[in-house]
Structures are given as structure tokens and as C-alpha cells.
């Protein structure tokens, strides 16, 4: 996977997550729409998270402090 | 950042909901998402090795954890003796054992061989596990508790 692919993945996932959050916030009081948009948030997050991890790997690949970056990500 | 974010998210959600209403718990994500979509542009270019996707590993891990979560969620209403609960628990055990076997045997596993022997990454994973274990039950148990009132 290339850096730009990871970044596209991260951006697309976040865009989906943000859009689903907005629509979820605007959803009518009935639960169905909110559940649907929450599921869409989950799909967005599932796309963004591997993108974020790939960006972490590509950005700090040749860095001897890589374990520190992983630690920061975890904390 | 993952652990801190999980804790801060719960705390801020608790502040936002009574102050501004539950809708703002969702709206607050929008500027954060936009900021990250723009901000990720400043990262310097790097290159990843092209790897094959470990499809058997992905499928067994996702279905295994999914079956476990579904079973635990169902226990509250149907009890431990419910047929679907037992079936899902058995499926989870079989799938997760299968996942470990696939990871050991595969030449391109989802979790690369030896990666958990690196202290930095092992520590990072343990911290993520512990903070998720502490925070995630809130998001599932709170709604089901509130529903009883």
C-alpha cells in the first residue's frame, strides 16, 4: 500500500464518519434513523482506522523511535 | 492517543449531553473529522511494502470477535442456556483458535510474525487493550441499563 492510498483511505473513512455524525445528529427522534447512521459511523471508522495505522507506519518507517510513536498512539 | 481519546470522549459526552443535548455528541465529530482530513496533508511522504491481504485471517478474526460480542450481548435477555448464545460462543472459540492457527501458518499473516516480541509495539497493544476494556463496556452497558428505567 502506498502513502497516498493510506491517506485516501483515512480521508474517505473520516469523511464518511463525519457525514454520518452530522446526519445522526439531525436524525428524527425515532431510533431507526439514528441506529442506521451509527452503523454508518462504524463503517467510516473501520475504514479510517487501518488508514491511520498505515500512515503511522509509512511516516515513521525509517525512524529508530518508531516504538515511541506506537506508544503515543496507544496512550 | 487512542486510550486518552477513549477516556476524554466518555467524559466530554457526559458533559455535552446534559448541557447541549445528545445531538451535540454527534455534531462535535464533524469539525474534528474536517480538521483531520485537512491536517493529514502535512505528513511527509513514505512508502509501504506491498503486502497481500490475509483474507482467511481477516475473516476468522472478524467473525470470531463478532460472534463473541453478539453472544455476550444476547446473554442479558436470553441467559447462558439460550441455543443461539451457546452456538455463537462455540463458533467464537473455533474461529479464534482458527485465527491463531492461520496466523502461525500463513506466510503473509495479518499480525506479522514476531511483531508482538517488539517491546514497544507489545506495550502499545497492551495499553490499547486495557483502555478499551475499561471504556468500551460503558458504551454498551449504559444504554441497556438506562433502557430499564
Amino acid at each position: 500500500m502506498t502513502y497516498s492510498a493510506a491517506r485516501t483511505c483515512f480521508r474517505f473513512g473520516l469523511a464518511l464518519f463525519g457525514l454520518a455524525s452530522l446526519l445522526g445528529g439531525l436524525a428524527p427522534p425515532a431510533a431507526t434513523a439514528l441506529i442506521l447512521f451509527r452503523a454508518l459511523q462504524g463503517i467510516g471508522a473501520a475504514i479510517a482506522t487501518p488508514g491511520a495505522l498505515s500512515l503511522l507506519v509509512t511516516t515513521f518507517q525509517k525512524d529508530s523511535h518508531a516504538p515511541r510513536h506506537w506508544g503515543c498512539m496507544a496512550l | 492517543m487512542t486510550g486518552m481519546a477513549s477516556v476524554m470522549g466518555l467524559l466530554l459526552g457526559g458533559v455535552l449531553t446534559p448541557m447541549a443535548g445528545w445531538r451535540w455528541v454527534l455534531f462535535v465529530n464533524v469539525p474534528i473529522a474536517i480538521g483531520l482530513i485537512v491536517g493529514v496533508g502535512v505528513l511527509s511522504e513514505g512508502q509501504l511494502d506491498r503486502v497481500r491481504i490475509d483474507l482467511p485471517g481477516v475473516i476468522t478474526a472478524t467473525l470470531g470477535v463478532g460472534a463473541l460480542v453478539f453472544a455476550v450481548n444476547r446473554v442479558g435477555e436470553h441467559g447462558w442456556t439460550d441455543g443461539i448464545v451457546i452456538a455463537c460462543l462455540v463458533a467464537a472459540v473455533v474461529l479464534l483458535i482458527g485465527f491463531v492457527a492461520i496466523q502461525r501458518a500463513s506466510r503473509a499473516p495479518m499480525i506479522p510474525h514476531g511483531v508482538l516480541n517488539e517491546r514497544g509495539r507489545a506495550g502499545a497493544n497492551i495499553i490499547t487493550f486495557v483502555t478499551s476494556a475499561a471504556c468500551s463496556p460503558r458504551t454498551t452497558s449504559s444504554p441497556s441499563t438506562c433502557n430499564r428505567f
Side-chain angles (χ1 to χ4, degrees):
Chain A
M1 195 196 238
T2 59
Y3 169 81
S4 61
R7 189 173 57 185
T8 306
C9 184
F10 183 65
R11 280 181 166 156
F12 178 75
L14 271 176
L16 192 63
F17 184 84
L19 187 68
S21 299
L22 183 67
L23 293 172
L26 297 169
T32 321
L34 184 59
I35 291 170
L36 190 80
F37 291 128
R38 289 285 291 162
L40 208 60
Q41 272 188 319
I43 294 168
I47 296 168
T49 309
L53 292 172
S54 302
L55 282 175
L56 196 67
V57 175
T58 47
T59 307
F60 300 114
Q61 199 169 31
K62 293 191 176 75
D63 195 326
S64 58
H65 295 312
R68 285 192 202 173
H69 302 308
W70 284 100
C72 287
M73 175 77 176
L75 264 177
Chain B
M1 301 316 282
T2 314
M4 295 288 279
S6 310
V7 178
M8 292 306 290
L10 285 176
L11 289 174
L12 286 176
V15 175
L16 271 174
T17 308
M19 278 179 66
W22 63 266
R23 291 175 190 278
W24 282 93
V25 174
L26 294 155
F27 288 145
V28 77
N29 291 327
V30 178
I32 296 172
I34 293 171
L36 284 170
I37 288 168
V38 176
V40 74
V42 304
L43 290 180
S44 57
E45 297 265 341
Q47 190 66 37
L48 265 182
D49 299 329
R50 190 167 283 276
V51 288
R52 269 197 323 213
I53 293 175
D54 172 22
L55 214 52
V58 170
I59 290 168
T60 47
T62 310
L63 290 180
V65 174
L68 182 64
V69 172
F70 183 76
V72 171
N73 269 324
R74 206 178 151 84
V75 165
E77 260 183 81
H78 300 268
W80 291 101
T81 50
D82 177 62
I84 295 174
V85 168
I86 295 169
C88 284
L89 287 176
V90 172
V93 171
V94 171
L95 285 163
L96 291 176
I97 289 173
F99 172 70
V100 175
I102 288 165
Q103 296 307 295
R104 282 171 171 270
S106 172
R107 270 180 298 162
M110 186 166 89
I111 300 171
H113 297 139
V115 79
L116 293 176
N117 292 335
E118 287 174 34
R119 286 185 62 186
R121 280 191 211 197
N125 276 294
I126 290 168
I127 291 168
T128 309
F129 176 79
V130 172
T131 46
S132 299
C135 294
S136 300
R138 279 288 153 267
T139 56
T140 29
S141 69
S142 305
S144 51
T145 313
C146 294
N147 275 341
R148 290 175 208 277
F149 294 113

